[in-house]
Amino acid sequence: QVQLVESGGGSVQAGGSLRLSCAVSGNTISRYCMGWFRQAPGKEREGVATINWLGSMTYADSVKGRFTVSQDNAKNTLYLQMNSLKPEDTAMYYCAAAVFGCTVASGPQRFNYWGQGTQVTVSS
């Protein structure tokens, strides 16, 4: 059973930075296409960034140039470095794993495993 556990969320002021982590257990992270999603109250869950087993990354237009997705296979951990944060980045952030290929446009239904989420709040 694959388990994903996010950490690193918190409250920051606009312009600040946070790094989210997603620890994967039960299988090797390199077997999956990994993604970060976020969901704000009253809004649909949206893809933020993905990285596949070849190291290819995709990003939502709203975060390009500010967020960077990466993974450490030795630690079986996925990361999301978030810089220049804006109030509109406020949401619950989830990591997810897809057995098959994925991009940020794949949609949540593409992903097979999910973490419980970590809250990010950006104040102006």
Side-chain angles (χ1 to χ4, degrees), residues 9-124:
S11 297
V12 295
Q13 289 191 329
S17 297
L18 284 173
R19 188 177 81 155
L20 305 183
S21 299
C22 173
V24 179
S25 61
N27 214 326
T28 305
I29 192 173
S30 58
R31 289 178 174 263
Y32 301 98
C33 187
M34 301 297 297
W36 286 100
F37 284 76
R38 66 187 180 186
Q39 188 167 19
K43 295 188 176 181
E44 292 186 352
R45 191 168 296 192
E46 64 172 350
V48 175
T50 64
I51 182 168
N52 69 12
W53 40 81
L54 297 176
S56 294
M57 297 164 281
T58 67
Y59 295 94
D61 288 344
S62 59
V63 306
K64 281 181 180 176
R66 301 189 298 123
F67 290 11
T68 303
V69 62
S70 63
Q71 66 183 53
D72 185 330
N73 291 341
K75 295 183 178 179
N76 231 32
T77 301
L78 177 73
Y79 301 100
L80 184 68
Q81 178 67 44
M82 305 186 295
N83 298 328
S84 302
L85 282 161
K86 303 176 181 180
E88 52 263 44
D89 295 318
T90 295
M92 185 73 77
Y93 283 71
Y94 300 89
C95 69
V99 173
F100 299 108
C102 68
T103 69
V104 76
S106 294
Q109 67 277 4
R110 186 74 170 181
F111 292 79
N112 306 94
Y113 305 100
W114 291 85
Q116 82 290 348
T118 186
Q119 177 68 37
V120 172
T121 303
V122 184
S123 58
S124 57

Side-chain angles (χ1 to χ4, degrees), residues 1-5 23-27 76:
Q1 181 73 10
V2 176
Q3 291 188 324
L4 290 74
V5 179
V24 179
S25 61
N27 214 326
N76 231 32

